[in-house]
Amino acid sequence: MQKDWLIKQLVSFVPTDTLLYLPRDEVVEKTICAVNYLLGTVYVLSDGIDVSKHNLQQGQKIEQYLLGLSADEVVFVYQTGQELHSVLLAIMVLERQLDMQKAFELAFYEELKQQEKWGKVEEIITRQKSVLLRLEQLDRLYDKRSVS
């Protein structure tokens, strides 16, 4: 895949990033602050389902960050972002600001909270384990490539 095409896709996805639509709590807000510090952005949690105009204005900064990455790093962010439904969490993993398990917990925050409240469904647990396995494989593959 071409790096420029991947970057265009990633930038277009960020305004609807899962992280920006999570319920307000201390962990979520700290993660948004860490993203903003790392990227020089000013993302805010969205209220409701509307895309924040403020978040739409961050596209150029995220694009500049992505352009500074190697092709392998962009592919990692793209693939990890697809699994997490979050480019921002994928970047935090790439930058080693979050481990893959924590990124998974944030990406699946609401689903995991529902399971705590209402109980677990085997089908959902199987899907979550599958996603986490793919994420761990991506993480190991990227670690191997970055060492060589």
Side-chain angles (χ1 to χ4, degrees), residues 12-136:
S12 70
F13 181 75
V14 173
T16 59
D17 196 285
T18 295
L19 181 62
L20 302 176
Y21 290 87
L22 292 176
R24 293 180 189 282
D25 89 349
E26 186 177 345
V27 173
V28 173
E29 289 182 359
K30 281 184 178 180
T31 304
I32 295 279
C33 286
V35 165
N36 286 333
Y37 179 78
L38 177 70
L39 301 174
T41 53
V42 282
Y43 286 108
V44 296
L45 287 171
S46 295
D47 292 317
I49 60 171
D50 294 329
V51 176
S52 164
K53 289 178 184 166
H54 193 71
N55 290 345
L56 286 170
Q57 297 169 350
Q58 304 308 305
Q60 188 174 12
K61 289 179 183 174
I62 194 84
E63 182 177 13
Q64 289 303 310
Y65 168 82
L66 293 167
L67 285 168
L69 298 179
S70 71
D72 284 347
E73 290 170 326
V74 171
V75 169
F76 176 82
V77 170
Y78 184 81
Q79 292 177 325
T80 304
Q82 283 185 313
E83 295 293 340
L84 294 171
H85 303 283
S86 176
V87 173
L88 299 175
L89 290 174
I91 289 170
M92 294 298 283
V93 171
L94 174 73
E95 296 289 343
R96 302 296 184 223
Q97 300 298 307
L98 287 176
D99 64 25
M100 200 62 88
Q101 178 66 41
K102 187 62 179 170
F104 171 83
E105 290 169 7
L106 281 162
F108 287 80
Y109 181 91
E110 291 187 79
E111 197 171 287
L112 295 170
K113 289 291 183 189
Q114 289 294 322
Q115 288 174 327
E116 283 178 19
K117 185 174 181 177
W118 302 107
K120 298 181 180 192
V121 176
E122 193 60 38
E123 188 176 305
I124 293 172
I125 291 170
T126 300
R127 181 181 51 77
Q128 289 172 346
K129 284 180 181 177
S130 176
V131 168
L132 192 53
L133 178 64
R134 287 192 303 273
L135 289 168
E136 289 168 349

Side-chain angles (χ1 to χ4, degrees), residues 3-12 63 66-67 74:
K3 180 180 172 182
D4 291 340
W5 183 85
L6 290 175
I7 289 172
K8 182 178 177 186
Q9 297 303 307
L10 291 166
V11 169
S12 70
E63 182 177 13
L66 293 167
L67 285 168
V74 171

